[in-house]
């Protein structure tokens, strides 16, 4: 049995006017996840998150305006034998998104309803429980 490959990524929680969470599906895949991706050489996690957000869904936000939610390890949704270490941020405010680059589809997720079965492990195992815990604390 081979050991898993580790991949560092950044991801961003983005909400619309109704408070729904943005999820995206990349071309040729079947799982919905956060917008985000791998940092380029020399980029901080927040810089990578900001750049990926602009490239994938047309949302421009400065890295320093992103709020760090947490860092988690999870099985990669679309790559076998790969574990991602994701720095997850939250973008303050309400946004509109347009799929671009490798994004084939976007879907706004109502956190108060039953979650669809096609969400990435990072979302279901770590981020959504953390977001619901944060909301419950209000």
């Amino acid at each position: 049995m081979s050991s898993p490959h580790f991949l560092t990524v950044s991801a961003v929680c983005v909400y619309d006017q109704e408070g729904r969470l943005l999820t995206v599906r990349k071309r040729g895949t079947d799982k919905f996840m956060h917008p985000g991706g791998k940092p380029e050489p020399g980029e901080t996690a927040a810089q990578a998150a900001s750049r990926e957000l602009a490239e994938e869904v047309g949302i421009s936000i400065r890295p320093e305006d992103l709020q760090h939610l947490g860092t988690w390890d999870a099985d990669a949704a679309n790559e076998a034998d790969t574990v991602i270490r994701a720095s997850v941020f939250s973008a303050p405010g309400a946004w509109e998104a347009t799929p671009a680059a490798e994004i084939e589809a976007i879907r706004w997720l109502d956190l108060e309803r039953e979650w669809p079965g096609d969400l990435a492990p990072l979302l279901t195992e770590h981020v959504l429980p953390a977001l619901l815990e944060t909301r419950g604390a209000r």
Side-chain angles (χ1 to χ4, degrees):
M1 185 167 145
S2 66
S3 59
H5 173 68
F6 280 85
L7 196 60
T8 299
V9 299
S10 291
V12 187
C13 296
V14 175
Y15 301 92
D16 67 2
Q17 295 285 354
E18 286 81 45
R20 298 175 302 173
L21 179 69
L22 175 65
T23 61
V24 301
R25 185 175 52 75
K26 296 184 179 188
R27 197 170 286 107
T29 67
D30 61 357
K31 296 284 186 194
F32 279 81
M33 60 190 61
H34 298 95
K38 303 173 198 88
E40 292 181 351
E43 271 187 329
T44 66
Q47 288 168 334
S50 173
R51 177 183 50 77
E52 290 282 350
L53 198 56
E55 289 174 2
E56 293 184 348
V57 294
I59 294 173
S60 295
I61 185 167
R62 299 179 316 170
E64 57 268 25
D65 292 335
L66 294 171
Q67 299 160 348
H68 188 253
L69 183 63
T71 301
W72 294 280
D73 291 352
D75 289 334
N78 300 309
E79 297 178 53
D81 297 321
T82 301
V83 173
I84 58 169
R85 174 156 293 152
S87 293
V88 182
F89 297 87
S90 188
W95 302 89
E96 292 181 11
T98 304
E102 70 271 24
I103 302 304
E104 185 168 58
I106 64 171
R107 182 173 67 198
W108 295 96
L109 182 65
D110 183 341
L111 300 182
E112 306 303 321
R113 295 182 175 225
E114 186 175 341
W115 304 336
D118 59 357
L119 298 177
L122 175 67
L123 266 171
T124 58
E125 295 170 12
H126 300 290
V127 178
L128 292 176
L131 291 174
L132 291 176
E133 186 176 304
T134 302
R135 283 184 171 200
R138 285 184 187 168

